[in-house]
Amino acid sequence: MSDIVSYLASKYPEFFDTKEDADGKKIPYTRCFSGVGKGWYGLLDKLCEDIREKIKECTTAKVIMKISQIKEKFALLRFYTYFEHDDDRGSETVGAIHDLIMKAETESSNICEQCGTRENVETKGPGWITTACEGCRLKAAI
């Protein structure tokens, strides 16, 4: 399990399915984690915190969200989930959570995926498109 998935699973266990390891201990997992750079870890942490708060605000319906995939695609954060809710009031909360996710995915285009700076960040690349600051681009010769 990646560092960020381990961290998020320990802080937000309600967002992860579990499976049994070789010793029969339940461990959190995502169905697929393609990986993101450390520069987006803070954005992911804030997104999970905002989602937790949005779910707590919904006192009229039970809403359960699970993370199914976290990855970078076309130089942007992708955060895939699935939900269970018991009525239309839960649908409103799910809609609000989708808005939070879209906001974070868009915001990732302004954050260097490698170092987390918001200065001199560009989304470009010859071939593989990345979101990186000038310094990280030079280090990686992108």
Side-chain angles (χ1 to χ4, degrees):
M1 191 179 325
S2 74
D3 291 344
I4 188 61
V5 172
S6 294
Y7 170 77
L8 293 175
S10 67
K11 190 169 179 183
Y12 309 99
E14 68 271 28
F15 296 158
F16 289 85
D17 282 324
T18 59
K19 67 177 183 177
E20 289 188 7
D21 66 8
D23 299 324
K25 178 182 171 190
K26 288 191 176 199
I27 57 171
Y29 79 103
T30 60
R31 288 178 174 76
C32 180
F33 180 80
S34 300
V36 297
K38 291 183 179 188
W40 287 348
Y41 286 13
L43 180 62
L44 284 165
D45 190 21
K46 181 179 181 330
L47 174 58
C48 287
E49 184 62 39
D50 291 346
I51 291 170
R52 178 184 272 169
E53 289 304 312
K54 190 57 66 180
I55 290 171
K56 282 181 184 176
E57 289 173 12
C58 182
T59 59
T60 58
K62 182 176 182 173
V63 177
I64 297 170
M65 184 204 79
K66 300 290 183 180
I67 297 170
S68 58
Q69 188 176 34
I70 301 169
K71 67 180 184 176
E72 172 275 328
K73 184 174 182 180
F74 300 119
L76 294 174
L77 173 68
R78 296 294 188 237
F79 190 88
Y80 299 110
T81 60
Y82 62 93
F83 293 89
E84 296 174 20
H85 55 88
D86 52 9
D87 63 16
D88 289 339
R89 291 169 294 207
S91 294
E92 292 173 17
T93 300
V94 169
I97 291 170
H98 280 297
D99 291 345
L100 291 171
I101 292 169
M102 287 190 309
K103 181 181 173 192
E105 290 176 342
T106 301
E107 190 176 348
S108 71
S109 71
N110 298 309
I111 301 171
C112 176
E113 185 181 358
Q114 301 311 309
C115 72
T117 189
R118 293 174 182 264
E119 295 182 20
N120 298 316
V121 174
E122 293 182 293
T123 299
K124 66 179 185 178
W128 194 272
I129 303 167
T130 61
T131 299
C133 67
E134 185 176 4
C136 289
R137 243 179 233 296
L138 291 173
K139 284 182 205 170
I142 299 173

